[in-house]
Amino acid sequence: MAREPLSVVVTTFDNADTIGTCLGSVAFADDVVVLDSGSRDATRDIAARLGARVEVQPFAGYSAQKQAAIDLARHRWVLLLDSDEALTPAAAGRIRAVLEAPQAAGYVLLRREWVFWRWQPDRARLNHYVRLFDRTRARMSGHEVHESVVVDGPVGRLEAVIDHYGERDIEGRVEKANRYSSLQVRDRHARAPRFLRARMVVYPTVAFLRYYLWRGHWRGGWAGFIAARVHAFYAFLKYAKLYELRRSGGERHRPPFETESGED
């Protein structure tokens, strides 16, 4: 049976270690677009060798960059992947099947996380995101981080799993928490959340318990425990940095004096 043609879109920057696995998992697609933001490694060469259309654009922010990649797609139906993600073989088959007669404007897919040195436990809750969609009825949300696909129409759920290789060590995960929390300040400042001091005290514990117990990462041993602690630290940083911004009236604090020589 004929199916809707599919474009796969991927944004990249220095992802030579994962882009081959990513693109290899979507070899069935009719069109593959890689929008690179200036990689200094072999990312673009690998993508081109695997048959992708490679375009280059300076990084415009996570949401805007992904929207630019979506706009390059040749077909209505788009599968959006990060460069460190790959479809499982079963997921590829389910996507092909649903495109024979789509019943929704977009579909949520599941994502399995690599946590430092192991995959998350089988019975831990999987993250889920809209990744397969009709691009004429969808757009990126515009958030600084944790950007998402906003669909104008019904959204279905597809039992298809994306493997996310993510950060390979604790240092990388902590660095990402620091970077993402800084980017989130602008989004959260615009929403003007209240009771920031109480949130700094309470929310990290809530975030830890939700990740570790409710989502089931306690089943992942020490990898799950460490990931939950980093997640709680990320929750703290988001509100601490917003509190700092408000105290400073929107300006970064400077020390009361600076040495002319730059020496301590």
Side-chain angles (χ1 to χ4, degrees):
M1 181 181 295
R3 63 169 174 81
E4 293 281 349
L6 177 69
S7 289
V8 173
V9 299
V10 185
T11 55
T12 58
F13 177 72
D14 285 350
N15 300 119
D17 58 337
T18 59
I19 190 63
T21 301
C22 174
L23 298 185
S25 73
V26 294
F28 66 92
D30 306 281
D31 173 42
V32 178
V33 182
V34 169
L35 181 59
D36 187 78
S37 53
S39 290
R40 299 154 297 186
D41 62 8
T43 298
R44 294 198 297 271
D45 292 338
I46 295 170
R49 188 166 66 245
L50 291 173
R53 287 190 292 123
V54 180
E55 303 286 345
V56 180
Q57 171 183 292
F59 187 65
Y62 291 105
S63 189
Q65 195 78 359
K66 288 181 179 178
Q67 185 62 59
I70 292 167
D71 292 341
L72 291 169
R74 287 176 176 159
H75 304 298
R76 282 182 55 188
W77 280 90
V78 166
L79 174 66
L80 175 65
L81 290 179
D82 288 339
S83 55
D84 58 357
E85 296 175 338
L87 290 182
T88 64
R94 291 189 175 104
I95 289 171
R96 290 197 299 269
V98 80
L99 288 178
E100 291 177 359
Q103 301 297 309
Y107 290 90
V108 168
L109 276 66
L110 306 173
R111 190 170 80 171
R112 183 175 68 149
E113 307 289 340
W114 180 260
V115 185
F116 304 132
W117 54 81
R118 57 167 295 169
W119 287 111
Q120 70 177 81
D122 290 340
R123 287 188 285 175
R125 291 177 181 268
L126 298 176
N127 290 322
H128 52 278
Y129 310 97
V130 174
R131 292 301 190 85
L132 179 67
F133 51 90
D134 177 348
R135 70 186 181 97
T136 66
R137 303 175 66 184
R139 68 189 187 281
M140 295 304 301
S141 63
H143 293 112
E144 292 287 332
V145 293
H146 301 309
E147 67 286 351
S148 59
V149 177
V150 179
V151 178
D152 180 16
V155 175
R157 180 184 174 97
L158 196 59
E159 294 299 321
V161 176
I162 299 170
D163 281 338
H164 179 220
Y165 295 91
E167 295 73 47
R168 305 301 179 86
D169 54 31
I170 297 170
E171 179 181 5
R173 201 164 182 122
V174 171
E175 188 278 330
K176 183 176 181 179
N178 189 41
R179 176 165 42 91
Y180 273 33
S181 60
S182 293
L183 291 171
Q184 273 208 299
V185 167
R186 187 182 306 173
D187 287 336
R188 290 185 176 273
H189 184 58
R191 295 201 299 270
R194 302 171 63 191
F195 310 116
L196 286 181
R197 286 175 290 188
R199 288 172 185 259
M200 282 191 287
V201 173
V202 174
Y203 194 69
T205 300
V206 173
F208 173 82
L209 294 174
R210 185 169 60 189
Y211 187 95
Y212 191 61
L213 297 179
W214 186 71
R215 291 178 56 186
H217 285 275
W218 60 271
R219 301 177 186 275
W222 284 106
F225 177 81
I226 295 167
R229 282 297 183 196
V230 176
H231 183 69
F233 180 55
Y234 172 53
F236 169 76
L237 285 178
K238 289 187 291 187
Y239 293 112
K241 290 179 179 180
L242 182 54
Y243 180 74
E244 178 186 51
L245 180 69
R246 288 189 180 174
R247 279 188 58 92
S248 64
E251 300 291 335
R252 294 186 63 186
H253 284 294
R254 292 184 178 274
F257 61 87
E258 296 178 0
T259 62
E260 293 184 1
S261 66
E263 297 177 355
D264 292 337

